[in-house]
Every structure is written in C-alpha cells, then in structure tokens.
Amino acid sequence: MTDPAIILSPAPRANPTLKHALNDILGGSAASVLTVTFGLSYALLIFAGPLSPYLSYGITATFVSSAVLAAIVALGSSLPFAVAAPDSSTAAVTGILAASLVERIEAANLSTPLLSPVLITLGLSTVLTGMVLCGLGLTRMGRAIRYVPYPVVGGFLGATGLLIVMGAIRVITDHPVQFATLLRFTNTTTLLELGAACAMALVLYLTWHRSRSPFGLPIILVAGVLTAHLAFWVTGVPLGEARALGWTFQPPPQAAFMVPWHTDALIHYPWFAVPDLLGNLVAVIFVTASSTLFNTTGIEVAVHREANLERELNVTGAANMLTGVLGGYAGCISISRSILNFSSGGRGRLSGLTVAAMSLLMLAVAPDLLGFIPKFVLGGLLLYLGADQLHKWIIESRKRLSKLEYLSLIAIIAIIVVWGFVPGILIGVIIGCATFAFSAARVESIKYSFDGSEYRSSLDRSRDDQEVLLAHGGKIQGLNLQSYLFFGSANRLYQHVKRLLQERPECRYLLFDFKLVTGVDSSAAYSFAQIKRSARDLGVELILVHLSAAAEKVLRSSDFIGEGVTIIPELDHALEWCENEIISQHQDLAQEEASLRDWFARLLESESDADELIRRCQRIEVAAGEIIVRAGDPADSMHFILDGRVGIMVPADDDRTTRVRSLGRYTTIGEMGLVSHAPRSATIQAEVDSVLYVLNTHQFDEIKEEDPALSHKLLTYFVSVMAERLTFANRTIAVLRR
C-alpha cells in the first residue's frame, strides 16, 4: 500500500499575490473611513472662527496632506502596513498656530486677506517640521525624546486634548471659550447645540470606542445626520433656516488646489508676527516628533513587530516637507488607522496607497458633503477625540505614575493652556529634571552580568550534576541591575539583552536581579515588553529577583508579568531553580535518547546501526495543533515518532479537514515519500505535544553511499511497514463490503 501522503492530490490555491492585494485594499479602505471622517473634523478645527469663510481651502489642505502623508509613508516605512495622516494632536497644535497668526493680524488692523498668510504659515511650519524630523533621523538623535520625562510628554499631549475640546466647542457654537464669551453660552440654542454634541460624543464612546469596527464610525455619524434632518422635518424647520440658526454648516464653495508660494503673497506676509509664533511652531515640531515615536512604539507593541525609528523619522520628515510644499500641514503615522488596517488584513504598502487615493477623491466630494452635516455631529466627534485624549493622560496615567509625577503632569497641562506651549515645555522640563534628580543617578543600568557555568547556587550537588551544569551552565544568563530604570535606560537594557541573546543562543533562562534598583518608571514598561517579546520568540524564560512591590506594580500594570516571566524572591533560590530545570531536562533527554536507541536497535537488530541512525536524525518538538508538513510540500524527509501522536489530514467540505489516519509513538510517517520524492498530498499535524526525529533526503542519500548495510535495513523496514498498512487496508475494505 502506498503512503497516505501520496494518495491525495493537493487542493488548488488562489493566487497569493492577488489575495494579498485584495486584503491590502480592504484594510486601506477601512483606514480610509477614519481618515476621511477625522479629516473633515480637523479642517473644521483649524479653519474656525475668522477662518470659517476659507473652510473649503482648509478641506483641500487637509486631504492633500492626508494623500501625501499616506503615500510617502506607505512607500518608505519600515512597517509596510503603516497609515499616516494628520493626527488629532498635530491638528490641535496646527490650529493654535493658525489662530495665533490671525490674532496678530487682527490686532495690527491689517487689511491683508487671511487665507494666504495662514496657508504660508502652515506650509512653512510643515516644511520646517519635516526638516527637523529628517535631522533627528539622520543623526540618530530621535531616540533622545525617550529621555524627556514622561509627565512632560503626558502633560503636552494632555493639553492638546483639552485644546481639541475647546476647539470643538468653537466649531459647534462659533464662540471661542474665553471668560469674555461665557455669557454667550447661556443662549438656549447654543446650549441645545452643545447638548446634542455631547450626546453624539457619548454615543461614540458607548459604541465605536468599545468595538472599533472599521465601519462603525461612519454608520454612527450618518445616523446622527439623518436624526438631525428628521428632527428638522418634524419641527418644521427648513434646511436653510437650520443653517441660519447655526445648526448646520454653510456649504463652502468648491476650492481649487492652490499652492501658496506666490511672490505677492510672500511680500505682503506679516513677517513681524513670526517671533510671536515661534512657541507654537516649536509645539508643532515637538508634537509631530513625539507622536511619530510614540505611535510607532504603540504599533510595535500591538502587532509584535519591531520598527526602525530612524527610518520612520526620515520618511515622516520627507512626507511633511512635500506636504508643506503643496500647502498642507503636519501629520505623522497613525496608530489607530495602522492597527485597523492590520486587523482588517492589510499587510502591504498598497493599503497606504489606497488611503491616499481615497483622500484625493474627497477633494471633489467633501465641500458639498459638509453642507448637509449638522455641526453637532462633527463637533461631537471632536469632543470625543479630545475627551479620549484627556482621559488617557489625566485618568489612565494616574495608575502608572507616582503622585509627584502625576501632579507634574497636571501642572504642565494647566501652564500650557494658560500661558502657551513654550512656558509649558520649559517649566515641564525643569519639573521633570528635578523629579528625576531625586530618583535616579547617572550610572549604567547593568552593574555586572554572569552565567550559570561561573556563578551557581549554594546547593551542594553530586559530581554528575556538577558535570551537567559545567557543560550546560551557559543556558543561565544573569544581569544585576542598578539605579533608576526609566525609558532611556530601559531601552539601553533592551538593546543589551538583544545582543546577549544573539551572542548566546543557548540561553534558556535570563535572570534580572533588581536588588540595587532604586525605582522603575512607568515608561520603562515599553522596553520590558520588547524584552519579553524577544525572549518569548527564542524560548527564553525570564526570572525576576528581588523585585520590589512598587516595581512589580509598574510592570504588572503593563501586562509584562505573566506567562514566560517568573518572580523568585532571592537570587540563590532562583539559581537553584534554574539549575534543577537544566539537570531535569538533561536527565529527560538522556532517558529519551536511551528509549530511541532501544527502538532503533529493535528495528535494525544492531546497536551500532541504531547509534548511526540517531546521529543522522534531527530532533524536533511540536506542540498540539502544530503543522509538521503541508500538502504540496516536497517530500524531503521522514519522521520517527518517539512520543506523542500525529494525524494525517485531508481537505474536506467548507474549508475543513478530515483525519484519515492517526499515528502514535514508535511509528513512522513519510517513508515512501523519502524514496519516491513525490510532493506530499496530505497535511501532517500534531494531535498532542510530540517529539519526533527527522531523517531528511540528504542524510538518507549519505547513508546509501557510506553505509549500504544500514540503507538496506531501512528499506527492508519501509517495505514491512507498507505491507502492514496494506493488510490493514484490505481488512477494512473486506468489512465494508459485508
């Protein structure tokens, strides 16, 4: 009887390139939904108040920015599925920059039209932002932002959330949030508009915030628009009257694409206002750089892939420079849109190009669309985005920060909102440095390192156990940590661990001794998460020793402590535990090898032939459910099943598989394929955790050339196995014919 792996023909497969392209387009389309929706709200946020008459140009600038950023980042990012566009934080600081320029022009009573100066300011700030990002990437100074104290970054981004909320209120009511305008908010219509926007924000939180369905957001917004128009119809309010009352936007005129770099516009630009705008310009650069780095890190953690930060800075910088030249404004890689694309199946660069194409399409559609959208719908979206950012940095950060760090964060938010970004940054850095000075010393995070062959537990062991530890002690690697661990030092620790695991591939137990560590900052959790991921990929167990309650709380809050991480109070006990594991594994392997030798000796009737065959085979372990070989693969090996059970699976209806045979310990699979070299026509899958020894065609050919006697015994064994299987099949057929 022939091998079951040869009987069945492989099922036809779809073109993988076309399938990947379709997945990329689907994922990009899902991300485009967020890009279009957010883009409209960002245009309203920036072109509000005195800039409202130029909203159509703001929409054009928004979707030009979205298209350029998405296309350039898609083509150059180290994460092929990354999606870039203006972000809520970058849009908020860009809006503050534009509003500051308008205030300076109006204060000077200039008759200069506002559009050209604003577009020039946005373009210049975006080009400068791109140049700074490229400089940070080329000089490898981008990682320096990781040394900025966490409360400073949190305060900065929390302030942008508050500014988004304030901008949303201005979009909804046409009134800025100031002490002088508070009485205007007592108007009944204004209160109703704010109430409707808050209701929309609440609906977004209760629905889309929790599900993150790619099409949930547009469905909710469309439902809000339809509800508003239904209310207008029921109350007998025509659309024109609703617009006059301020419930809906005035439809902006179609705006042609306009590059602001004209000689006349540059000559009449209010250059006197530039010094007053420098603080807000610094804010745009800082927010874009920090968002690029932190969003990239968030994507790394979410999808378990490592990005090249320098490359991300360079690509984002180039995209921003081109965006600025075309009259757009700053943006960066988006964590929400990138993860949505990835979750929807997008893995390639076509996803970002799809987002770019959809953004260009909106240049023709968006102005007409905006005239039918009630203010409270997009205003509610802005309220939700701002409130979500505030919740992240004011509520959630409280769990990760000490009291002093948290108070610093709140103080920085207040300073930025009251006095501006520059005072907030300066005072925040001073507060952060002062806080850090009390808790960290300027020393390396690793005091010394050791391995299990040179540093052992105090337990006296037998001579045999000592020989095992001497031969395999390198599987234990230890790092004695010291000082205060924050994002910068923890990142250096991660880089050291990566090099260590590359240089010592035999490592299976990595000990971290926290005895000399004075504290662990919440931001260090990102680096420990990367350490855990690298260790898990290599099958390395992490052991934490002398971990304080405060440090354990910080690491637990980031889900670092869990499977693959063990906490042991003392170093001596930790070393003893690792040594016991190594000795036990060595004994198990010794017993396993003896069992394998006995089996081969019975098959081949020779212990020397058994030893030779063992030498030619490669040991593998497979987990339950793991695929060992797939249908269609070349039949380039056979498997001796020493322990466990495997099944031979064939395709069935509805994309299912059916088991046609199961093989237990001391059986073999793939013998005839090894001889005939025909492609495998069935999939072999482990049904339980199993241990197999693999003999490939290369080793089998060497046996035939170097040891003909052993080759003859193997072929005889193959024939006997096939005869047994043929007899079994004949008996089965006879029963079925009764």
Side-chain angles (χ1 to χ4, degrees), residues 38-59 61-63 65 86-102 114-115 118-119 121-123 125-126 163-164 166-168 170-171 249 284 327-331 382:
F38 290 158
L40 288 173
S41 62
Y42 297 158
L44 292 168
L45 182 66
I46 297 170
F47 286 79
L51 293 176
S52 298
Y54 309 106
L55 179 57
S56 56
Y57 291 92
I59 293 174
T62 296
F63 288 111
S65 302
D87 202 36
S88 56
S89 297
T90 60
V93 291
T94 301
I96 296 298
L97 176 63
S100 299
L101 175 65
V102 171
L114 297 177
L115 180 60
V118 168
L119 292 180
T121 301
L122 298 186
S125 66
T126 305
L163 293 172
I164 292 173
M166 296 170 64
R170 185 174 186 177
V171 168
F249 296 101
V284 172
Y329 55 90
L382 287 172

Side-chain angles (χ1 to χ4, degrees), residues 55-196:
L55 179 57
S56 56
Y57 291 92
I59 293 174
T60 300
T62 296
F63 288 111
V64 166
S65 302
S66 300
V68 174
L69 288 164
I72 299 299
V73 171
L75 293 174
S77 174
S78 59
L79 300 171
F81 56 88
V83 176
D87 202 36
S88 56
S89 297
T90 60
V93 291
T94 301
I96 296 298
L97 176 63
S100 299
L101 175 65
V102 171
E103 289 177 4
R104 302 302 187 278
I105 294 176
E106 291 181 340
N109 293 319
L110 297 180
S111 59
T112 305
L114 297 177
L115 180 60
S116 291
V118 168
L119 292 180
I120 290 173
T121 301
L122 298 186
L124 287 174
S125 66
T126 305
V127 171
L128 184 58
T129 298
M131 293 173 64
V132 172
L133 293 180
C134 286
L136 293 174
L138 293 174
T139 60
R140 297 183 176 271
M141 292 178 60
R143 296 178 184 268
I145 200 168
R146 297 191 185 278
Y147 293 86
V148 176
Y150 196 69
V152 177
V153 177
F156 205 93
L157 297 178
T160 62
L162 184 56
L163 293 172
I164 292 173
V165 171
M166 296 170 64
I169 295 173
R170 185 174 186 177
V171 168
I172 298 163
T173 65
D174 292 327
H175 302 313
V177 182
Q178 298 173 352
F179 286 107
T181 61
L182 289 181
L183 291 177
R184 299 180 183 178
F185 293 96
T186 59
N187 180 277
T188 302
T189 302
T190 301
L191 291 175
L192 288 174
E193 291 172 342
L194 287 174

Side-chain angles (χ1 to χ4, degrees), residues 306-366:
E306 187 171 355
N308 185 323
L309 290 182
E310 284 74 26
R311 181 174 174 180
E312 296 304 320
L313 287 168
N314 288 330
V315 172
T316 306
N320 275 282
M321 283 191 286
L322 181 57
T323 299
V325 170
L326 295 177
Y329 55 90
C332 62
I333 187 172
S334 169
I335 185 171
S336 60
R337 278 161 272 194
S338 298
I339 293 177
L340 176 59
N341 174 40
F342 188 89
S343 302
S344 302
R347 295 293 186 275
R349 305 188 185 279
L350 185 57
S351 297
L353 297 178
T354 302
V355 174
M358 293 295 292
S359 298
L360 291 176
L361 179 63
M362 288 304 296
L363 292 175
V365 179

Side-chain angles (χ1 to χ4, degrees), residues 438-467:
F438 284 106
S439 57
R442 297 182 180 276
V443 293
E444 290 293 330
S445 59
I446 302 174
K447 186 174 180 63
Y448 61 85
S449 59
F450 58 88
D451 68 36
S453 62
E454 62 185 3
Y455 189 70
R456 298 180 185 172
S457 69
S458 59
L459 178 64
D460 287 338
R461 299 185 182 275
S462 67
R463 182 170 297 177
D464 291 341
D465 288 350
Q466 291 180 28
E467 290 177 357

